[in-house]
Amino acid sequence: DEGIEKVIDFFIKISRFKIKLSQDEKNLCESLGIDKDLAVIIKSHNGSTIIKLPKCNEYGEMDFNDSSDGICAQYPTKTESFTDEIYRILYREKQAYLKKGYTLFCFEAAKYEEYYLALSKVKTDMNVLKWRKTNGINHGIDNEILIAKIEEWKQRYDLVLWACGGDWLQIFFIHEAPKYNGQLGSSNKGFYEKSKLWDKRTPKFYKFANEVAEFCPDLITQVYGSKKKLIEEMERINGVYLWWD
């Protein structure tokens, strides 16, 4: 319901006024040239200390002692409420931050289910995938091949990266910052038509599923069990989750 969403937005904005960066966090942002006011979003949803975005070596291992440009803050272990919260943050804020020269995303560190919300300056989503070394190497898909495929899809559709790990990623298909209302897909088609999401720059999932299944066969064999289930999930989230065993 749109009225409920407006109320949620109001309280989210109010809650951020209470979040203050420590002096060390302010110094970190200043040293990296990151707007301190924008950095608050990294802390406002979990309260964790803001740190530098770590380096990621060729094997996808994180080194938090050898940092790269950007900041991040750790989230608690992944839960359903965690997922909903991240959806909400990225659906509402991703495009606005891109316009200001920042890439907002979630990543999984080398340790399983160790998640961080991150903000990187002047980096595209493809840069994020390159930084994280995301791949499906067991299926002959290295980082370059993976990025090339996502770039190919990006030429045809309006997509943004939500999150990534060593062997998985998730993208959304969007045109403008939509409102997250707990029902992301075709069962709420009217909402998406109103938000200008349901047009030629969003794939027809019943066709697009063939490409996805070919590129990421583990989704059928180990995640969803059938192409029908894959299509239903893509419609539900208006996006694609890719994972290679």
Side-chain angles (χ1 to χ4, degrees):
D1 180 86
E2 200 165 322
I4 294 175
E5 286 297 302
K6 289 181 179 179
V7 172
I8 292 174
D9 274 346
F10 173 77
F11 282 107
I12 287 175
K13 289 177 181 178
I14 291 296
S15 67
R16 284 189 191 159
F17 290 134
K18 299 178 181 179
I19 301 298
K20 304 295 182 183
L21 300 185
S22 69
Q23 190 58 52
D24 286 344
E25 290 170 331
K26 291 178 181 179
N27 293 342
L28 173 60
C29 291
E30 187 173 342
S31 70
L32 297 173
I34 292 177
D35 189 318
K36 294 188 287 294
D37 292 333
L38 298 182
V40 170
I41 193 173
I42 301 298
K43 190 173 184 177
S44 65
H45 295 272
N46 59 17
S48 297
T49 301
I50 292 176
I51 59 176
K52 280 187 179 181
L53 191 67
K55 287 285 188 181
C56 189
N57 68 21
E58 61 181 308
Y59 305 106
E61 298 168 336
M62 298 283 175
D63 185 353
F64 285 88
N65 295 314
D66 186 5
S67 303
S68 58
D69 293 339
I71 58 174
C72 63
Q74 187 174 0
Y75 259 73
T77 302
K78 187 174 182 180
T79 63
E80 186 175 345
S81 60
F82 159 89
T83 303
D84 287 346
E85 189 173 331
I86 292 294
Y87 271 132
R88 182 179 295 279
I89 296 168
L90 294 171
Y91 253 71
R92 290 179 182 277
E93 308 288 354
K94 178 88 176 185
Q95 294 297 78
Y97 273 70
L98 283 173
K99 291 177 182 178
K100 294 175 181 179
Y102 294 87
T103 300
L104 184 66
F105 62 99
C106 175
F107 71 90
E108 182 183 44
K111 184 179 178 182
Y112 180 62
E113 290 198 345
E114 185 180 316
Y115 296 93
Y116 292 79
L117 185 61
L119 182 65
S120 182
K121 189 178 179 182
V122 194
K123 277 194 174 184
T124 68
D125 285 341
M126 300 307 112
N127 291 140
V128 173
L129 290 174
K130 185 175 182 180
W131 161 78
R132 187 60 190 85
K133 308 297 189 296
T134 306
N135 66 80
I137 204 66
N138 289 343
H139 289 270
I141 299 171
D142 63 16
N143 184 248
E144 289 186 2
I145 293 173
L146 183 145
I147 290 175
K149 174 59 70 175
I150 304 302
E151 284 277 26
E152 176 193 326
W153 289 347
K154 194 174 180 67
Q155 294 299 314
R156 292 151 52 194
Y157 309 116
D158 292 328
L159 64 85
V160 294
L161 179 72
W162 168 55
C164 59
D167 57 4
W168 66 274
L169 65 98
Q170 188 162 344
I171 55 178
F172 288 137
F173 298 99
I174 64 175
H175 297 272
E176 58 186 32
K179 295 175 181 177
Y180 173 75
N181 68 345
Q183 190 62 53
L184 299 177
S186 60
S187 59
N188 196 13
K189 187 174 179 180
F191 174 83
Y192 276 94
E193 288 175 338
K194 183 178 178 181
S195 298
K196 301 179 182 179
L197 295 173
W198 215 269
D199 65 19
K200 63 183 181 180
R201 292 290 291 176
T202 298
K204 301 297 184 289
F205 291 120
Y206 67 91
K207 293 182 179 179
F208 188 58
N210 295 324
E211 289 186 58
V212 173
E214 181 179 357
F215 185 60
C216 190
D218 286 341
L219 292 185
I220 302 297
T221 59
Q222 300 192 52
V223 180
Y224 300 114
S226 70
K227 193 174 293 183
K228 181 177 182 294
K229 292 290 186 183
L230 169 61
I231 293 170
E232 289 175 352
E233 180 63 10
M234 288 195 297
E235 289 180 336
R236 186 186 75 81
I237 67 172
N238 197 41
V240 179
Y241 167 74
L242 302 175
W243 169 79
W244 295 266
D245 191 7

